[in-house]
Amino acid sequence: MSQDEHFKFSTGVVAYPIFFVLSIWMVFWFEVRFGYNFSKYGIYPQSLKGLRGVLLSPFIHGDIKHIYHNTIPLFVLSMALFYFYRHIAWKVILFGILISGILTWSIGRPSYHIGASGFIYVLVSFTFFKGVFAKHYRLIALSLLVVFLYGSMIWYTLPIEEGISWEGHLAGLVTGLLFALFFKKEIAKPKKYIWELENFNEADDPFLRQFDENGNFIESKHEEKEQEQSINYIYKENKKD
């Protein structure tokens, strides 16, 4: 896949992130409007029943503050994912939710773990590490931007605040790093100079054919003929005078 196909804007770049955000807000609205509490559908570690939360927990939030803090990073990072990594975006999303959820289920405390923050950590980690591995100026710039905006989130992968699923954050961080390594070949590389290509043949390049082995410019027969005609014309004009 060419570099242009990697960095190409499409309707999905905005449409899919909006869909994600609207989905979690619709679930939250339904809870508030009809008095439901979906927390019991979150991830409950080491419980077979709690496995359903692997897929459901990203759509469930405890209160307005919780969902608000997840909305902006989810929208921004998913937009970056679909713009810079469109060809693997859905793989990162689906497997990211699945693997980070299973890791949370494996290492988490016996409590319900809910919210999209685990998946957000997948996106932060994947975007940062993949940009570093790519060594492409655009992706490195994106990594630096992620560090600037969300670098402080690293502290929440540690048990520093009660009531926060640091296990889910840590699981997302690890999952994003693994994805950055696994999809290492799926990286948009900078365009090479034409002479760096493996199948490049100097004889096929019209520009290089204008020079000899010593780098001297070779005048074509057509140009020589034009110069000769010009000289003859000037000579005749001078002779008339």
Side-chain angles (χ1 to χ4, degrees):
M1 183 173 287
S2 68
Q3 178 177 302
D4 293 336
E5 290 175 315
H6 279 81
F7 308 137
K8 186 178 180 181
F9 185 83
S10 64
T11 55
V13 172
V14 177
Y16 296 135
I18 291 177
F19 173 76
F20 298 151
V21 171
L22 286 179
S23 297
I24 64 175
W25 275 96
M26 285 296 294
V27 172
F28 182 74
W29 172 84
F30 188 88
E31 285 185 277
V32 174
R33 177 66 178 81
F34 298 101
Y36 285 93
N37 187 349
F38 291 152
S39 295
K40 62 182 180 180
Y41 295 103
I43 299 173
Y44 197 92
Q46 291 90 53
S47 167
L48 289 177
K49 195 174 182 180
L51 276 173
R52 62 188 178 184
V54 170
L55 296 177
L56 299 178
S57 62
F59 301 94
I60 305 170
H61 293 80
D63 52 36
I64 189 68
K65 183 180 179 181
H66 188 197
I67 192 172
Y68 171 75
H69 284 302
N70 283 344
T71 296
I72 296 177
L74 178 62
F75 181 73
V76 172
L77 292 168
S78 55
M79 275 188 64
L81 179 69
F82 277 102
Y83 181 78
F84 290 97
Y85 306 106
R86 179 171 53 89
H87 57 300
I88 57 173
W90 284 110
K91 292 180 182 178
V92 173
I93 291 171
L94 297 176
F95 289 109
I97 291 175
L98 183 63
I99 295 175
S100 64
I102 291 175
L103 286 176
T104 303
W105 182 85
S106 302
I107 66 175
R109 294 161 291 171
S111 178
Y112 287 106
H113 298 254
I114 59 174
S117 55
F119 174 59
I120 290 172
Y121 272 80
V122 173
L123 296 179
V124 170
S125 178
F126 172 77
T127 305
F128 171 74
F129 287 111
K130 189 156 174 59
V132 172
F133 297 152
K135 298 180 181 179
H136 187 286
Y137 69 96
R138 288 190 181 184
L139 303 182
I140 292 174
L142 178 63
S143 296
L144 295 176
L145 181 61
V146 167
V147 170
F148 176 76
L149 294 176
Y150 306 112
S152 61
M153 291 173 62
I154 188 68
W155 297 111
Y156 293 99
T157 60
L158 303 172
I160 62 175
E161 187 173 337
E162 191 176 351
I164 291 181
S165 177
W166 64 269
E167 300 96 329
H169 298 168
L170 180 61
L173 183 71
V174 172
T175 302
L177 173 59
L178 293 176
F179 281 6
L181 293 170
F182 182 79
F183 293 115
K184 195 172 182 179
K185 294 182 180 180
E186 303 290 339
I187 291 176
K189 297 180 179 179
K191 290 182 179 179
K192 292 184 176 182
Y193 292 106
I194 189 170
W195 53 81
E196 293 181 306
L197 299 175
E198 294 181 359
N199 59 348
F200 173 67
N201 186 358
E202 293 185 5
D204 297 332
D205 187 84
F207 176 75
L208 294 180
R209 285 204 302 266
Q210 300 179 75
F211 300 89
D212 59 20
E213 296 179 354
N214 299 321
N216 298 318
F217 182 74
I218 303 174
E219 295 181 350
S220 65
K221 293 182 178 180
H222 179 70
E223 290 175 338
E224 290 178 356
K225 187 175 181 181
E226 287 184 343
Q227 290 181 359
E228 184 178 348
Q229 290 177 348
S230 298
I231 293 172
N232 292 334
Y233 175 79
I234 294 172
Y235 174 76
K236 290 179 181 179
E237 290 296 321
N238 291 334
K239 191 172 182 182
K240 289 179 181 179
D241 295 341

